Amino acid sequence: IASASATSASVASVSPSACAIEPSSGRLASNRLVGVAVDPGGSWVRFQFGSPTGPPGAGSLEVAVPPFNHTTSGQAIEVVGERVVRIHLDGLLLFDELGNPTYGGPDRLRPTGGPIRDVVVEEAFEGVMNWLIGLDGPDCVRLRQGLDPLSLELVVAPTE
């Protein structure tokens, strides 16, 4: 996966009224990430998986704390947003039997509005793929299975 260009890590302080981000983890439906889409309105990110070719991978959601950098190159990653979460995907097949990447999409996605400001690859190495997601505002963040059983969605919803 090509590196996203970045210069430095910058994140604003977290508002005390922000919804707490609860770490969560579980098994994925597949071991092949094939696509990532962001709602143009910035309220969800969908991770789309292909038909499994081996044991399913695992995924987790956690709060991410700067500084951020690409693990393999050490290059700094700037993430736009007041808060940042990490989606950690493990046990993935990153390349097919011909050496082609199983995920061929962009390393950075930025919606045009809404609470999700930035979605960027932090790492893709030896079966691990980490995505950093920058958010603005106090809204709650949670993971859910999409309508398609091979999709996983990070959803931003107002505080309750």
Side-chain angles (χ1 to χ4, degrees), residues 37-55:
V38 179
D39 169 32
S43 64
W44 54 259
V45 179
R46 180 176 300 125
F47 297 88
Q48 186 65 48
F49 295 86
S51 300
T53 58

Side-chain angles (χ1 to χ4, degrees), residues 10-29:
S10 68
V11 175
S13 61
V14 175
S15 164
S17 62
C19 183
I21 296 167
E22 298 294 327
S24 60
S25 63
R27 277 266 170 238
L28 300 171

Side-chain angles (χ1 to χ4, degrees), residues 5 17 22 27-28 42 46 48 50 52 58 62-63 68 70 75 101-103 109 113 125 131 139 152 154:
S5 63
S17 62
E22 298 294 327
R27 277 266 170 238
L28 300 171
R46 180 176 300 125
Q48 186 65 48
E62 63 188 23
V63 174
F68 305 117
H70 293 283
Q75 180 182 9
T102 54
Y103 172 74
L109 301 132
F125 185 68
W131 289 83
D139 293 343
L152 177 69
L154 177 126

